[in-house]
């Protein structure tokens, strides 16, 4: 960890004891007062010290020597008695052999006393490896390339993911995978993580959902935490994988932060992998510069699996769960569940549960398992609460605002959106929805439904927002 120390100077003079005592009237020695990393001002002083040392190096070497051997040197650590600098392995070797006395002399001229200088290759930096385990949130056991079922619907995304895992940062950067929920995007993200870790155990990998990224940033901003910690966490990653990146669209602060994180990582040749339920061009509320960056790499889509792939998925899941499902039942399940791999796997788990309870693996059991999958939706009252919560969050108002009778436009429009989505996602009639909002006449609900229906047909941004709200409600 890089510490900051009380290092000051005046009139561009060296940072030695004499001038420090003159300027600040305090004794300054090698027993520096340490500051926490969050003290950004004092961190800046350490870097200013390094800038002064580099200026001293320029005075004592030719422009060519400085450019070749010292220009890329970076200050990694300073503990008051020793300095650690980093560079690429080749220059490190030469600098350690030939230039350490010069470096120590320049530090002594600036500091007023001698310090020990060492130069390490960049790949030996410890900052990343100290935090890597903390940030590995992916599933290290189940989701690998070995158990990903490949078919015509996903083979391109699968091949691209293997290429990225084999040579991160150099092949298809960024990789953008899109497709509907439940088709295997998250599986591929985890498989990439596991493959990279297998090849490079010291890789610093962050796998995060876009909503978690956003919520973490909000926490830093609202609680006035030091955002440099947040920056360092994400911008030092060797590999950053973001699931459901579509949720950052329209979130101004999150988009800005992600833009700078993206650019920093690409310049450092760190790998970025993103997943979304739609391609970048269909993210209507996403900033243009971010959309351009998402499109700058490789875009791969995943389509719903065909029948053969669905059969293979069911067989694989049954084998992993240690149950034997007859081929006729596998085909039956595969023909009934066509567009969601999670539902296919869920049906197999249900079959396992029924078999363990003593039921036979027959058509009746398979029918029951499928019926359970399709009937596990939320009861209407719970679904309504989710809808109103999500609309309130999207439009930055409260649930009470939406349920109130306030006539301000900033409350009326979200209320109309909530009414529209409730009508779309629940069996409630206009009259029941009116009662839900405390209205005596259901004509208001009819008006809201018709208005939003018309507006979203001509307003692509509104259509996207409503689609996002409904998907968020279904996924929560």
């Amino acid at each position: 960890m890089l510490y900051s120390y009380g290092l000051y100077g005046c009139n561009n003079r060296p940072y030695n004891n004499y001038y420090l005592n003159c300027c600040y009237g305090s004794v300054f020695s090698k027993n520096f007062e340490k500051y926490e990393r969050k003290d950004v001002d004092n961190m800046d002083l350490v870097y200013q010290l390094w800038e002064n040392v580099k200026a001293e190096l320029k005075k004592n070497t030719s422009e060519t020597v400085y450019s070749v051997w010292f220009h890329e040197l970076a200050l990694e650590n300073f503990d008051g008695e020793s300095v650690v600098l980093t560079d690429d392995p080749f220059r490190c070797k030469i600098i350690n052999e030939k230039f350490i006395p010069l470096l120590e002399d320049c530090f002594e001229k600036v500091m007023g006393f001698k310090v020990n200088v060492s130069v390490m290759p960049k790949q030996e930096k410890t900052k990343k490896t100290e935090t890597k385990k903390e940030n590995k949130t992916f599933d290290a056991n189940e989701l690998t390339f070995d158990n990903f079922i490949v078919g015509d619907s996903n083979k391109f995304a699968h091949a691209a993911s293997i290429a990225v895992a084999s040579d991160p940062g150099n092949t298809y950067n960024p990789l953008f995978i899109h497709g509907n929920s439940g088709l295997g995007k998250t599986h591929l993200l985890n498989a990439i993580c596991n493959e990279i870790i297998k090849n490079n155990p010291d890789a610093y990998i962050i796998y995060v959902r876009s909503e978690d990224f956003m919520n973490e940033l909000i926490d830093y901003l609202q609680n006035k935490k030091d955002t440099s910690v947040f920056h360092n966490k994400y911008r030092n990653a060797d590999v950053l994988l973001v699931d459901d990146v579509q949720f950052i669209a329209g979130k101004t602060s999150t988009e800005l932060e992600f833009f700078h994180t993206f650019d920093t990582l690409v310049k450092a040749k760190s790998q970025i992998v993103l997943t979304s339920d739609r391609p970048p061009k269909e993210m209507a509320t996403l900033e243009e510069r971010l959309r351009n960056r998402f499109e700058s790499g490789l875009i791969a889509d995943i389509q719903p699996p065909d029948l053969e792939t669905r059969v293979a998925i069911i067989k694989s899941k049954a084998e992993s769960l240690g149950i034997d499902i007859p081929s006729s039942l596998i085909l039956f399940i595969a023909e009934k569940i066509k567009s969601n791999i999670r539902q296919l796997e869920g049906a197999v788990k249900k079959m396992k549960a029924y078999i363990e309870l003593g039921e036979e693996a027959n058509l009746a059991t398979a029918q029951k398992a499928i019926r359970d999958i399709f009937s596990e939706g939320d009861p209407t009252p719970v679904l309504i609460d989710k809808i109103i919560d999500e609309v309130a969050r999207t439009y930055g108002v409260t649930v009470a605002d939406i349920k109130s009778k306030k006539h301000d436009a900033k409350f009326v429009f979200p209320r109309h959106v909530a009414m529209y989505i409730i009508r779309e996602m629940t069996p409630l009639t206009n009259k029941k929805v009116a009662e839900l909002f405390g209205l005596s006449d259901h004509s208001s609900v009819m008006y809201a439904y018709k208005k939003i229906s018309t507006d979203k047909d001509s307003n692509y941004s509104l259509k996207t927002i409503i689609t996002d709200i409904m998907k968020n409600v279904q996924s929560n």
Side-chain angles (χ1 to χ4, degrees):
M1 181 178 184
L2 177 62
Y3 289 97
S4 307
Y5 296 87
L7 306 175
Y8 298 86
C10 53
N11 300 324
N12 295 319
R13 292 172 176 172
Y15 286 70
N16 58 34
N17 295 6
Y18 173 76
Y19 282 115
L20 286 164
N21 286 329
C22 288
C23 294
Y24 294 95
S26 60
V27 177
F28 184 82
S29 69
K30 283 190 269 188
N31 297 317
F32 302 114
E33 177 186 356
K34 292 186 178 181
Y35 291 86
E36 294 296 326
R37 187 180 183 88
K38 66 182 179 180
D39 194 336
V40 179
D41 291 338
N42 287 296
M43 285 179 66
D44 289 343
L45 293 171
V46 175
Y47 289 114
Q48 183 58 52
L49 161 68
W50 174 229
E51 290 300 316
N52 284 5
V53 172
K54 288 196 291 185
E56 195 68 33
L57 280 169
K58 288 180 181 178
K59 287 195 296 185
N60 287 276
T61 59
S62 69
E63 183 177 342
T64 301
V65 169
Y66 181 85
S67 175
V68 171
W69 299 110
F70 302 118
H71 180 69
E72 298 296 328
L73 267 177
L75 178 65
E76 168 67 14
N77 201 338
F78 176 50
D79 64 6
E81 297 182 349
S82 60
V83 174
V84 178
L85 307 173
T86 60
D87 207 332
D88 71 52
F90 171 73
R91 279 196 296 267
C92 260
K93 184 174 183 297
I94 302 300
I95 293 171
N96 277 314
E97 288 176 356
K98 300 190 175 208
F99 294 114
I100 291 298
L102 173 62
L103 284 165
E104 290 183 341
D105 182 58
C106 289
F107 268 98
E108 185 172 1
K109 285 179 180 176
V110 172
M111 294 296 301
F113 56 85
K114 190 173 180 63
V115 296
N116 297 316
V117 176
S118 60
V119 184
M120 296 170 50
K122 287 179 181 177
Q123 60 263 38
E124 293 181 15
K125 290 166 68 175
T126 59
K127 177 173 63 173
K128 292 182 179 181
T129 57
E130 284 171 358
T131 56
K132 66 180 183 185
K133 291 182 180 178
E134 165 189 335
N135 294 301
K136 286 179 189 172
T137 57
F138 52 92
D139 190 326
N141 298 313
E142 294 186 3
L143 304 178
T144 66
F145 288 124
D146 291 337
N147 58 23
F148 185 86
I149 306 301
V150 183
D152 289 340
S153 61
N154 59 27
K155 63 183 179 182
F156 181 64
H158 174 260
S161 298
I162 289 180
V164 162
S166 301
D167 191 17
N170 297 310
T171 305
Y172 309 142
N173 195 19
L175 173 61
F176 191 102
I177 304 172
H178 68 90
N180 290 334
S181 178
L183 296 183
K185 301 188 300 296
T186 300
H187 189 139
L188 286 177
L189 285 187
N190 282 273
I192 291 170
C193 290
N194 284 305
E195 188 68 17
I196 292 175
I197 288 299
K198 184 171 72 175
N199 297 330
N200 180 12
D202 291 329
Y204 175 31
I205 297 178
I206 296 182
Y207 167 45
V208 63
R209 294 190 317 144
S210 65
E211 282 197 297
D212 293 335
F213 179 91
M214 178 180 68
N215 291 334
E216 187 176 350
L217 175 62
I218 290 171
D219 178 59
Y220 270 86
L221 297 176
Q222 287 183 341
N223 294 300
K224 298 182 179 179
K225 296 181 181 179
D226 175 18
T227 53
S228 66
V229 178
F230 181 88
H231 296 161
N232 290 333
K233 172 181 175 180
Y234 288 99
R235 298 181 190 182
N236 283 315
D238 295 316
V239 183
L240 174 64
L241 306 102
V242 183
D243 214 351
D244 291 326
V245 75
Q246 73 272 7
F247 290 128
I248 74 170
K251 316 296 192 304
T252 305
S253 296
T254 305
E255 285 188 328
L256 179 62
E257 178 63 32
F258 196 78
F259 171 80
H260 291 300
T261 298
F262 187 102
D263 272 9
T264 300
L265 292 175
V266 169
K267 287 176 184 175
K269 293 189 175 180
S270 297
Q271 181 66 51
I272 300 172
V273 185
L274 311 170
T275 73
S276 171
D277 64 354
R278 73 202 71 169
K281 65 181 180 181
E282 293 183 10
M283 296 183 185
T285 58
L286 186 70
E287 271 194 32
E288 184 68 24
R289 60 180 181 174
L290 261 182
R291 185 182 300 112
N292 291 339
R293 279 157 176 77
F294 290 175
E295 293 175 336
S296 65
L298 181 70
I299 299 176
D301 71 325
I302 299 181
Q303 296 296 325
D306 56 26
L307 179 62
E308 291 78 9
T309 305
R310 299 199 299 272
V311 167
I313 290 169
I314 296 170
K315 285 183 177 179
S316 175
K317 190 64 179 179
E319 288 174 5
S320 71
L321 293 176
I323 61 171
D324 182 26
I325 300 178
S327 297
S328 60
L329 298 184
I330 290 176
L331 184 60
F332 171 78
I333 296 171
E335 288 177 336
K336 294 297 182 182
I337 301 177
K338 299 179 180 180
S339 60
N340 193 304
I341 293 172
R342 291 196 192 105
Q343 289 181 343
L344 287 172
E345 294 178 339
V348 177
K349 290 178 181 178
K350 288 287 185 181
M351 288 285 292
K352 175 180 170 65
Y354 286 129
I355 291 169
E356 288 179 345
L357 290 172
E359 298 193 25
E360 294 182 9
N362 54 29
L363 182 60
T365 305
Q367 289 174 328
K368 192 191 303 186
I370 290 175
R371 185 173 64 247
D372 288 345
I373 293 296
F374 287 119
S375 65
E376 286 180 342
D378 294 309
T380 299
V382 175
L383 188 57
I384 290 170
D385 288 343
K386 284 185 176 182
I387 291 169
I388 296 176
D389 284 343
E390 188 63 28
V391 172
R393 188 184 69 82
T394 300
Y395 285 99
V397 297
T398 67
V399 170
D401 290 330
I402 290 180
K403 289 184 175 182
S404 73
K405 296 180 182 179
K406 297 176 182 177
H407 296 297
D408 305 53
K410 65 178 180 179
F411 304 131
V412 171
F413 189 76
R415 189 178 304 134
H416 285 175
V417 170
M419 289 177 178
Y420 171 84
I421 295 175
I422 289 171
R423 287 283 287 110
E424 285 288 296
M425 296 186 71
T426 75
L428 293 185
T429 63
N430 288 329
K431 184 177 180 181
K432 290 292 184 183
V433 175
E435 291 174 0
L436 178 69
F437 285 86
L439 303 173
S440 57
D441 185 358
H442 67 274
S443 60
S444 296
V445 178
M446 293 174 61
Y447 170 80
Y449 184 84
K450 184 176 180 180
K451 184 178 188 307
I452 298 300
S453 297
T454 303
D455 287 353
K456 78 179 183 64
D457 288 341
S458 59
N459 185 331
Y460 187 76
S461 175
L462 175 60
K463 182 178 179 180
T464 301
I465 289 170
I466 289 175
T467 301
D468 284 344
I469 291 172
M470 293 172 75
K471 285 182 177 179
N472 290 350
V473 168
Q474 290 172 328
S475 63
N476 288 337

